[in-house]
Amino acid sequence: MRYCWLCGGPETSADPMDTHHIFGGSNRKKSERMGLTVDLHHNKCHIFGKKAVHNCAETMQALHEYGQRLAMENMGWDKDTFRREFGKNYL
Ligand SMILES: [Zn+2]
Ligand SMILES: [Zn+2]
């Protein structure tokens, strides 16, 4: 069972899960390789909902912070190393 990063709920047939890359654009491949992806309900939490990642700057920022912490922890990086790798410090 897949659970949503944003609302914590399980996948439903009405709103299936998408895999969202925490860092997109030129960092998308790196996100994929480092496992920096999350599951999100396609409608409510990924694209269309009021708090959906692609619809709400606050949620996007929270997810970037989460992703940076995760990357730093997994890789043993500090903030400067993260900035070098991903082009920005989100914390
Ligand atoms: Zn959700
Ligand atoms: Zn996405």
Side-chain angles (χ1 to χ4, degrees), residues 55-87:
N55 209 19
C56 175
E58 251 170 66
T59 306
M60 186 61 98
Q61 171 64 23
L63 184 52
H64 281 153
E65 286 176 22
Y66 167 83
Q68 178 169 350
R69 290 210 167 87
L70 197 63
M72 287 168 59
E73 199 177 300
N74 289 346
M75 308 300 285
W77 289 347
D78 58 14
K79 284 180 195 169
D80 288 335
T81 311
F82 180 87
R83 192 194 289 115
R84 264 203 308 280
E85 292 287 334
F86 282 88

Side-chain angles (χ1 to χ4, degrees), residues 26-69:
S26 58
N27 289 318
R28 189 183 163 91
K29 279 214 172 92
K30 211 178 269 188
S31 279
E32 171 101 43
R33 213 169 44 235
M34 294 177 55
L36 300 174
T37 60
V38 290
D39 290 338
L40 293 165
H41 287 108
H42 173 73
N43 290 309
K44 184 172 73 151
C45 303
H46 190 202
I47 310 286
F48 299 114
K50 232 175 124 180
K51 290 275 167 190
V53 167
H54 289 287
N55 209 19
C56 175
E58 251 170 66
T59 306
M60 186 61 98
Q61 171 64 23
L63 184 52
H64 281 153
E65 286 176 22
Y66 167 83
Q68 178 169 350
R69 290 210 167 87

Side-chain angles (χ1 to χ4, degrees), residues 8-9 20:
H20 167 82

